[in-house]
Every structure is written in C-alpha cells, then in structure tokens.
Amino acid sequence: MASPVKQTRMSATERRELVLAAASRAFARDGYHGTSTDAVAREAGVSQPYVVRMFGSKSRLFADVFDRAMRRIMDTFEPHFDDVAADPENDESWLPMGIAYTELLEDRDLLLVMMHGFTSGANPEIGVLARDWMSRLYTQIRTRTGCSPEQARTFIANGMLLNTLLAMQVPEHAGQDPALEELAVCAFGNALDAAGSENASEIGDFRS
C-alpha cells in the first residue's frame, strides 16, 4: 500500500507572497478602482476575510503590491550602476541598464501595476507612495552613477515612454498607424519586433 503524501504547510511568508502575486495579477488586469479584496481572494484561492486580516485594507494591499514592483525595478538596476558611474557621459555605458529594464517589462503585470500606481496620484495613500518611489528612483540613479540631473531625467523619461507604449500595446499594433510606428521605432529601435512579441532583449534609444 502506497504511503500517503505528506502535506507541507505553507509558512506565513509563503502565504503572504501567494496573495501578493495574486493581487498583482488582479490589480494589473482591472486597476486599483476595478479590483476588490474579494477579487484578490478569488485569484489567490483564499477567503476575503483572510486577505483583509493579512493586509488590513485594499489600499494597503495595493501599496504592498506597488512596493514589490518598484523594489524589483531598483534591484534590476543595481548591478549596472558601476558601469555607468565609470563614464556617465558615454551613451554606451547606459545601454546594459536600459536592456535590463526592457527585459523586466516583459512581466506585463509588473508594468501595469507600476502604471496604475503612477496614475493614482489623486488617491492620498497611493499618491504619496508613488511620489516617494519616483524620488527614490531618481536619487538612486543620481547617487549610484554620479550622473547629472539631466542625464537621470532623460533615462527616467525614456523609461516612462516605453512604459506607456507597452501599456497601450503599441508594439503589437504599430503597423496600423504610420505615426505610431515611427514613434515606436524611435523608442524601441531594434527591439521593436521583440517588444511586440513580448520577448524584448534589446533596446534602441533608452539611454542618456
């Protein structure tokens, strides 16, 4: 007779991560206002009271999801700062950091959670969090690379353009509009086809 399979109990950290991953999918799909804690619970396969007990409120849950996304972005930049710092005036030194960011945006849930956070400035709790993360991102780039304010601004601005174009699914539909195609080619360069197939691995003009 076969021995019964022993069930492994999830730790509190693992359960929290499961709910955060489910919440990321739900918020990415329906936005902050269109997502309820009940929807997150269904996505995670747990009860709604369990989600509320764990996070307290929908705004607190979204804040944790947004924090999780932004930390992942900043961690992705970290290995490339020394190369930029060696010669911030050289456009080529910014290229690996731009490539790493573009590859990260293949995770559409992360991209859309970030966009929902940045466009929810009117919400007092989310707005202050989004502004704080933008400040931290700018400060991280400035202090870790020694670049000028203009170089940091340009890098972030190019990243925000890519975010917007990807959120609008412009790479997939660029061929339907000559003006959008021209903009997409300028923004993505050789990575346009890859971005359209959600498998970007190169970057065009994402540099200072």
Side-chain angles (χ1 to χ4, degrees):
M1 178 186 245
S3 300
V5 177
K6 185 177 180 180
Q7 297 294 323
T8 302
R9 186 177 179 85
M10 294 177 68
S11 68
T13 300
E14 290 171 330
R15 291 195 299 273
R16 187 176 189 277
E17 183 58 30
L18 181 146
V19 174
L20 283 173
S24 294
R25 295 191 297 271
F27 283 124
R29 183 175 60 243
D30 297 318
Y32 176 75
H33 294 292
T35 303
S36 64
T37 53
D38 188 55
V40 171
R42 289 196 303 273
E43 186 77 29
V46 298
S47 69
Q48 189 265 356
Y50 180 82
V51 173
V52 174
R53 188 164 63 249
M54 183 177 286
F55 293 94
S57 66
K58 184 176 83 167
S59 61
R60 185 64 256 168
L61 173 58
F62 182 84
D64 285 356
V65 167
F66 185 68
D67 279 348
R68 182 172 175 263
M70 294 305 298
R71 289 183 193 282
R72 190 172 165 203
I73 290 168
M74 293 180 73
D75 288 347
T76 295
F77 286 155
E78 191 64 37
H80 306 287
F81 284 134
D82 288 343
D83 290 336
V84 178
D87 189 4
E89 298 295 328
N90 182 356
D91 287 352
E92 295 300 319
S93 67
W94 292 83
L95 191 56
M97 196 158 79
I99 292 172
Y101 182 66
T102 305
E103 291 174 342
L104 185 65
L105 294 185
E106 291 176 27
D107 182 346
R108 204 164 193 83
D109 289 346
L110 181 144
L111 164 69
L112 293 175
V113 163
M114 178 171 56
M115 293 294 285
H116 287 310
F118 284 152
T119 57
S120 297
N123 180 292
E125 294 177 77
I126 299 173
V128 70
L129 183 66
R131 291 187 291 274
D132 178 64
W133 272 111
M134 181 59 76
S135 174
R136 291 166 69 176
L137 179 63
Y138 174 80
T139 301
Q140 182 199 44
I141 293 171
R142 285 274 286 122
T143 58
R144 293 286 282 107
T145 69
C147 71
S148 69
E150 178 65 19
Q151 287 170 319
R153 181 205 64 81
T154 299
F155 185 82
I156 293 173
N158 288 344
M160 292 300 105
L161 175 60
L162 294 186
N163 294 353
T164 302
L165 295 177
L166 286 169
M168 295 168 61
Q169 298 187 347
V170 166
E172 294 93 327
H173 302 280
Q176 300 171 12
D177 185 309
L180 279 180
E181 183 173 19
E182 182 176 275
L183 176 60
V185 169
C186 181
F188 288 96
N190 294 332
L192 179 59
D193 290 340
S197 65
E198 299 185 356
N199 188 34
S201 61
E202 298 180 65
I203 187 68
D205 293 328
F206 193 176
R207 60 185 74 177
S208 92

